Amino acid sequence: QAEEVIQLKKDLVKLGFGQFEYNQNYGPTTKRTVEAFQLYYGLRVSGIVDERTLGEINNILNSPLREGQSHDDTVQLKKDLVSLGFGSFEYNKDYGPKTAKVVGEFQEYYGLRVNYIADQPTLNKLREILNSPLRINQQHEETIRLKEKLSALGYGNFDYNKSYGPKTEAVVKEFQRTNGLVVNGIADEVTLKTLQELYDKNVVKLFIDPGHGGHDPGGRGYGLMEKYVVLDIALKTAETLTTQYIGIDVKMSRKTDSFVELEERARMANDWGADFFLSIHSNAYNYTSRGFESFILRGTDSTELKQRQRDIHTYLINKIGTIDRGMKQANFSVLRNTNMQALLLEYLFIDNIEENALLKDAKYREWLGEITAEAIAYTFKLKRK
């Protein structure tokens, strides 16, 4: 009995479980380690070394895919490891010290138990990565978000579709190489975790809200509707930011002439976890008023938000060169219902004949989008790509 407990402890350590004094005591530490072993290998977790647990220990220790053995399956194991960026081999049946070392490196990298044996969890992880939907020649919805995050960090320029082609693979390899990861071109769990950490640390999530839309035209003047004007400005702002700057990710409440309820606009931004909300409008009043103004939530005590309003407002008024109607506060729905800093901009008066003439010009609307992107980049200190 005592010898069996000592041997059990030695076997568990060989398999990557626990550290023991090799004595005959089967105490709480031994029980917890046995439970961890059982959980890892999909056995009933009891902390008791029953027949099935003992059988599993012996099966792994006697695996043909361990150091000192020779087996046909070792050839494929080596090929799989190399395709995932681990090691370089002669593709023979021998499972020598080099193969054991590379298997251990693979296990450590993916958070597996390091025992240098190609056990079932190790083989399962190999298959999982090799069959990942986020690898070359695959199509998956998550590829779109992968591209968005990579682009926001300054890696690549993409068509934001589901295709994971050679270009995506090359950019993923560049990301892996730059960040000291194993270079395999697959967006595996380690790559995705690193990407998310860098994204969370370095990227501003901007939610752009073009006002009105659909059955709500907004302000009107001389045949022009606000909903179209602000959509053009917003689309150009988003395009300029995402193609020309690093450290910015953009989502929009609408990209077409569609209607979105005010509360829904705020909810979309809140659900995404945006850092900043930018609502884009043009003004209308009495056919004679003119100028540019901006709004934050009435009663805000955020010094940072006030500074961002000042940065963006001042940048734009200096570029547009119209009457400065001031940096104001109001209780607008999108300002009130968003959880993040929010700013609403009123670009010119659509019912003023002179400013209407400017807003009718598609190139002028594009220019407004470009300078709005520049203002955002200025306040958030974004670097150009």
Side-chain angles (χ1 to χ4, degrees):
Q1 186 76 29
E3 290 180 2
E4 290 176 359
V5 172
I6 294 170
Q7 187 60 49
L8 169 69
K9 291 178 177 179
K10 290 180 178 179
D11 290 345
L12 287 168
V13 169
K14 281 184 189 176
L15 295 178
F17 293 84
Q19 292 181 329
F20 298 101
E21 293 180 15
Y22 294 118
N23 56 35
Q24 60 186 335
N25 297 327
Y26 195 110
T29 299
T30 307
K31 181 175 184 294
R32 283 195 300 272
T33 305
V34 169
E35 288 173 342
F37 174 87
Q38 291 169 328
L39 181 64
Y40 187 71
Y41 287 103
L43 306 174
R44 187 174 67 85
V45 179
S46 64
I48 299 169
V49 183
D50 53 21
E51 187 175 334
R52 191 168 174 199
T53 301
L54 194 58
E56 187 68 23
I57 291 171
N58 290 329
N59 284 339
I60 301 165
L61 290 172
N62 293 309
S63 167
L65 297 178
R66 75 187 196 282
E67 187 172 352
Q69 302 301 300
S70 184
H71 195 274
D72 287 340
D73 289 348
T74 303
V75 177
Q76 188 60 51
L77 171 67
K78 291 176 177 178
K79 289 179 178 179
D80 289 346
L81 286 166
V82 169
S83 70
L84 294 181
F86 291 85
S88 60
F89 299 101
E90 293 179 15
Y91 295 120
N92 56 34
K93 298 188 291 183
D94 297 334
Y95 198 116
K98 181 179 178 181
T99 306
K101 177 176 178 292
V102 174
V103 168
E105 290 169 354
F106 176 87
Q107 291 170 328
E108 183 175 14
Y109 188 75
Y110 289 106
L112 304 175
R113 293 285 176 168
V114 179
N115 56 32
Y116 309 98
I117 301 168
D119 56 13
Q120 199 57 52
T122 303
L123 295 176
N124 289 346
K125 180 59 70 174
L126 279 164
R127 296 265 71 78
E128 175 192 321
I129 302 166
L130 288 168
N131 293 319
S132 167
L134 298 179
R135 73 188 197 284
I136 194 165
N137 297 329
Q138 300 302 303
Q139 298 242 349
H140 197 273
E141 287 288 343
E142 284 300 310
T143 303
I144 298 172
R145 192 70 190 120
L146 171 70
K147 291 176 178 179
E148 289 174 344
K149 290 178 181 178
L150 285 167
S151 181
L153 288 167
Y155 293 89
N157 287 306
F158 297 101
D159 292 326
Y160 294 111
N161 54 34
K162 297 186 290 183
S163 299
Y164 199 112
K167 180 179 178 180
T168 306
E169 182 187 55
V171 174
V172 169
K173 283 183 176 180
E174 179 191 355
F175 175 83
Q176 291 169 328
R177 193 175 296 111
T178 302
N179 291 284
L181 306 178
V182 169
V183 179
N184 55 33
I186 301 170
D188 55 27
E189 65 193 63
V190 179
T191 301
L192 292 175
K193 181 175 182 289
T194 304
L195 178 63
Q196 188 63 51
E197 288 172 351
L198 290 171
Y199 176 89
D200 289 342
K201 182 179 179 181
N202 298 297
V203 174
V204 176
K205 297 168 73 174
L206 173 68
F207 192 91
I208 301 179
D209 172 40
H212 310 285
H215 64 75
D216 175 13
R220 288 187 275 195
Y222 307 100
L224 191 61
M225 295 183 189
E226 180 183 359
K227 65 176 183 175
Y228 296 124
V229 170
V230 298
L231 181 59
D232 284 350
I233 297 170
L235 287 169
K236 191 61 179 179
T237 301
E239 179 196 345
T240 304
L241 284 168
T242 54
T243 59
Q244 297 187 22
Y245 291 92
I246 295 171
I248 187 80
D249 196 3
V250 179
K251 286 198 179 299
M252 297 176 63
S253 58
R254 65 183 184 96
K255 295 182 179 180
T256 61
D257 179 24
S258 56
F259 177 75
V260 183
E261 294 284 356
L262 290 175
E263 291 80 4
E264 176 65 10
R265 296 167 193 252
R267 187 195 65 77
M268 291 166 69
N270 292 340
D271 287 352
W272 185 42
D275 298 310
F276 197 81
F277 184 98
L278 182 69
S279 192
I280 294 179
H281 290 260
S282 65
N283 237 324
Y285 184 49
N286 61 2
Y287 297 95
T288 60
S289 296
R290 60 191 303 159
F292 171 84
E293 59 191 356
S294 64
F295 295 87
I296 58 175
L297 183 63
R298 181 180 296 140
T300 185
D301 58 0
S302 170
T303 303
E304 183 179 337
L305 175 56
K306 289 176 181 177
Q307 183 60 52
R308 295 214 187 280
Q309 181 185 27
R310 189 176 303 112
D311 287 345
I312 295 168
H313 183 104
T314 303
Y315 192 97
L316 290 174
I317 197 67
N318 287 340
K319 290 282 187 178
I320 296 171
T322 186
I323 293 172
D324 187 350
R325 299 175 61 88
M327 292 176 281
K328 302 178 179 180
Q329 298 189 4
N331 196 33
F332 298 139
S333 175
V334 291
L335 302 181
R336 184 176 65 250
N337 291 313
T338 43
N339 295 336
M340 69 292 306
Q341 295 178 359
L343 176 67
L344 186 144
L345 302 178
E346 293 275 9
Y347 295 83
L348 310 180
F349 280 74
I350 201 169
D351 61 348
N352 176 292
I353 193 164
E354 293 177 0
E355 295 194 338
N356 178 279
L358 291 173
L359 293 173
K360 271 185 177 175
D361 185 343
K363 288 185 178 179
Y364 186 80
R365 296 195 298 271
E366 281 198 5
W367 178 73
L368 287 178
E370 289 169 357
I371 63 172
T372 302
E374 291 170 6
I376 292 291
Y378 172 73
T379 191
F380 284 105
K381 297 179 173 58
L382 303 179
K383 294 180 180 178
R384 282 192 175 269
K385 289 187 176 179

